């Protein structure tokens, strides 16, 4: 037997079902097993599928190189990808994911010891097994990492969309409560959403409420001013409300010029001035009268 | 040669731009409009650009110039119906209009223009 992979294959093929049991026992004993996140039966199915795919790939005689795209290994890769993706979504940690592959070592070495005569042959086979499993382990982690990044990216996108609601306050008045930090990308979305809603509702006044914006630096102010300028070009006036005392101090210290924009300390004042400008009036009813 | 029609409505002039604005057309409009303001003694100019999807810095500047020229001829300029994308582009390009008033649509623009023209006199 010249190809060391064949020794691994040979030892796996001797008794796959017993091997599977030993491996599952190893995973269960590893201490990083998450019974709360994955059921025994599911783990068994996954392990079984991986083992079959690995045996099939080893039979092809093609060696597994790091990131190997060879079709012979596509089954193994698919198994590991599914597993990593699923575990990333369920909230497994790095080591808990890696254990799946690394716990394979112990039973494999035992199996190799039984199927070889010991000595040099065993040492060689062990080394080969080690290299193979390390590569598979690294591959698993890479996919896991990518899945995590995808999840984070998707959540970021959702946050962007969620965080820009434009609400209609009154006929001809829309309000945009801004929450969180304003960066260039968000400003762009905020601007587009606001202008679109101004057109849809035919509003002449837009209130931008920055109560939820933690800090205002020159960049944020510039973004705000650009939004105001764009709204003005379309024929809508902007009022900036929710300026907290600290923010007012920062704006003056930074020398930001907001003189071209109407600013109010809170949303109520902004709504009142918007009402006045659109010719509305809110007044308290005479006491004793009920609506 | 292609021209943008200028409609007279009392002492107002109404221009609706329905075609793609190119540089030559913009300059022709500038000529025609200033001539028309003087000829009719117009006091207000309403330019509807709701059909314009694309505005570059040149057209932006010409529109601003038209407003400044109208002001010299004692007519107010109201630009109405700008598309959101156009507004964003103009802000990104850093175009600033000093003598231009804006409104969402022709109706609103007309009302605002009337109000400001009638206001000081009344």
């Amino acid at each position: 037997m010249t190809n060391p992979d064949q020794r691994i294959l040979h030892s796996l093929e001797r008794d796959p079902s017993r091997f599977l049991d030993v491996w599952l026992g190893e995973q269960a004993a590893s201490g990083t097993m998450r019974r709360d996140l994955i059921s025994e039966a599911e783990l068994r199915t996954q392990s079984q599928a991986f083992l079959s795919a690995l045996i099939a790939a080893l039979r092809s005689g093609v060696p597994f190189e790091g990131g190997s795209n060879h079709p012979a290994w596509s089954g193994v890769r698919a198994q590991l990808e599914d597993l990593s993706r699923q575990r990333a979504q369920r909230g497994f940690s790095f080591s808990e994911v890696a254990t799946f592959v690394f716990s394979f070592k112990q039973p494999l070495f035992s199996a190799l010891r039984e199927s070889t005569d010991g000595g040099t042959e065993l040492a060689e086979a062990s080394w080969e097994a080690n290299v193979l499993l390390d590569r598979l382990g690294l591959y698993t982690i890479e996919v896991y990492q990518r899945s995590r990044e995808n999840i984070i990216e998707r959540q970021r996108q959702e946050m962007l969309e969620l965080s820009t609601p434009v609400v209609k306050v009154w006929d001809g008045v829309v309000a945009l409560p801004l929450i969180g930090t304003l960066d260039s990308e968000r400003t762009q979305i905020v601007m587009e959403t606001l202008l679109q809603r101004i057109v849809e509702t035919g509003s002449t006044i837009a209130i931008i409420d920055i109560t939820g914006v933690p800090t205002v630096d020159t960049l944020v102010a510039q973004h705000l001013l650009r939004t105001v300028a764009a709204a003005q070009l379309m024929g809508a006036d902007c009022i900036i409300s929710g300026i907290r005392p600290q923010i007012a101090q920062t704006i003056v210290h930074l020398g930001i010029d907001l003189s071209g924009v109407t600013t109010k300390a809170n949303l109520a004042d902004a709504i009142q001035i918007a009402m006045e400008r659109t010719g509305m009036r809110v007044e308290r009813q005479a006491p004793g009268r009920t609506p | 040669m292609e021209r943008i029609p200028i409609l007279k409505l009392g002492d107002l002039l109404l221009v609706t731009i329905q075609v793609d604005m190119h540089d030559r057309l913009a300059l022709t409009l500038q000529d025609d409009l200033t001539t028309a303001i003087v000829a009719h003694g117009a006091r207000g100019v309403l330019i509807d650009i709701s059909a314009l999807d694309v505005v570059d810095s040149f057209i932006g500047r010409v529109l601003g110039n038209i407003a400044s020229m109208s002001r010299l001829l004692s007519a107010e300029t109201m630009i109405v119906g700008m598309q959101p994308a156009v507004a964003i582009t103009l802000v990104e390009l850093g175009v600033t209009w000093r003598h231009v008033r804006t409104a969402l649509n022709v109706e609103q623009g007309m009302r605002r223009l009337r109000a400001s023209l009638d206001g000081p006199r009344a």
Side-chain angles (χ1 to χ4, degrees):
Chain A
M1 243 188 268
T2 47
N3 188 345
D5 278 356
Q6 296 310 307
R7 287 198 205 104
I8 300 172
L9 173 62
H10 183 62
S11 63
L12 287 178
E13 272 180 326
R14 271 159 59 111
D15 193 351
S17 62
R18 192 170 68 86
F19 186 91
L20 183 64
D21 287 336
V22 179
W23 182 27
L24 282 169
E26 193 66 36
Q27 290 189 56
S30 67
T32 48
M33 195 41 229
R34 296 291 294 269
R35 282 184 208 288
D36 51 333
L37 295 179
I38 191 164
S39 70
E40 199 96 23
E42 197 177 358
L43 184 62
R44 176 171 277 274
T45 320
Q46 281 179 351
S47 305
Q48 172 81 62
F50 174 73
L51 187 59
S52 319
L54 182 62
I55 291 177
L58 286 168
R59 265 193 199 125
S60 71
V62 182
F64 183 83
E65 302 293 339
S68 163
N69 286 322
H70 199 282
W73 286 89
S74 62
V76 174
R77 279 202 311 272
Q79 277 302 321
L80 290 179
E81 279 164 23
D82 284 352
L83 181 116
S84 304
R85 208 169 293 130
Q86 185 207 54
R87 293 192 174 194
Q89 277 162 9
R90 290 190 191 178
F92 279 71
S93 74
F94 271 105
S95 45
E96 284 156 7
V97 176
T99 304
F100 178 80
V101 174
F102 292 141
S103 62
F104 199 84
K105 284 186 178 177
Q106 168 62 30
L108 180 57
F109 290 165
S110 309
L112 283 172
R113 199 178 302 130
E114 284 168 25
S115 67
T116 56
D117 307 334
T120 327
E121 197 187 354
L122 175 60
E124 271 177 25
S126 302
W127 172 245
E128 284 306 321
N130 223 335
V131 170
L132 174 65
L133 287 176
D134 284 351
R135 280 182 182 156
L136 290 175
L138 284 175
Y139 184 74
T140 314
I141 291 296
E142 267 173 32
V143 178
Y144 172 81
Q145 170 83 10
R146 269 206 301 279
S147 315
R148 287 281 289 253
E149 276 163 12
N150 286 341
I151 293 173
I152 293 170
E153 177 60 23
R154 205 189 62 231
Q155 286 172 342
R156 204 179 63 86
Q157 284 294 336
E158 279 170 9
M159 278 238 318
L160 275 181
E161 284 157 23
L162 281 177
S163 60
T164 54
V166 181
V167 288
K168 182 172 167 178
V169 178
W170 201 258
D171 271 346
V173 183
V174 288
L176 172 74
L178 281 179
I179 293 166
T181 323
L182 275 182
D183 55 17
S184 308
E185 193 184 350
R186 248 196 95 190
T187 311
Q188 193 71 22
I189 293 175
V190 166
M191 215 197 267
E192 279 167 20
T193 328
L194 180 65
L195 299 187
Q196 200 55 49
R197 288 289 290 162
I198 287 176
V199 173
E200 282 166 18
T201 58
S203 301
T204 49
I205 295 187
I207 302 171
I208 302 177
D209 186 80
I210 58 167
T211 313
V213 179
T215 51
V216 173
D217 54 14
T218 42
L219 205 61
V220 173
Q222 203 192 342
H223 289 324
L224 279 176
L225 287 174
R226 266 174 35 202
T227 310
V228 172
Q232 272 167 355
L233 280 179
M234 288 179 49
D237 279 337
C238 277
I239 302 171
I240 297 182
S241 74
I243 299 181
R244 284 175 282 125
Q246 301 94 312
I247 302 265
Q249 290 178 26
T250 322
I251 287 176
V252 171
H253 283 149
L254 290 174
I256 299 163
D257 184 18
L258 287 181
S259 57
V261 192
T262 314
T263 50
K264 288 284 162 199
N266 56 51
L267 187 59
D269 290 347
I271 290 179
Q272 188 171 8
I273 199 168
M275 292 282 207
E276 279 169 19
R277 284 192 194 166
T278 49
M280 307 280 174
R281 200 166 51 143
V282 184
E283 57 182 35
R284 190 183 297 275
Q285 280 188 340
R289 274 186 59 194
T290 47
Chain B
M1 197 174 112
E2 205 178 4
R3 269 176 200 283
I4 293 172
I6 298 170
L7 313 175
K8 184 173 174 297
L9 287 171
D11 55 359
L12 300 183
L13 294 178
L14 175 64
V15 181
T16 62
I17 299 172
Q18 303 282 357
V19 291
D20 266 351
M21 232 9 196
H22 51 77
D23 295 2
R24 174 89 54 92
L25 194 58
L27 291 176
T28 314
L29 177 67
Q30 183 180 305
D31 277 349
D32 291 355
L33 200 55
T34 41
T35 316
I37 290 172
V38 174
H40 300 300
R43 296 179 55 228
V45 178
L46 204 101
I47 305 175
D48 175 26
I49 59 166
S50 56
L52 272 189
D53 293 326
V54 185
V55 168
D56 60 16
S57 57
F58 183 78
I59 306 291
R61 208 174 68 229
V62 170
L63 287 173
N65 287 349
I66 288 178
S68 302
M69 292 167 192
S70 309
R71 191 183 169 82
L72 284 177
L73 303 169
S74 73
E76 265 201 67
T77 306
M78 176 77 78
I79 291 183
V80 304
M82 188 184 293
Q83 302 279 342
V86 172
I88 294 174
T89 312
L90 287 181
V91 171
E92 299 291 337
L93 289 173
V95 174
T96 46
W97 290 341
R98 291 186 48 232
H99 303 300
V100 180
R101 305 185 56 200
T102 50
L104 287 175
N105 49 46
V106 176
E107 191 188 4
Q108 212 176 75
M110 195 73 91
R111 204 167 50 227
R112 282 190 183 188
L113 205 49
R114 272 261 80 91
S116 78
L117 289 182
D118 296 346
R121 223 171 20 182

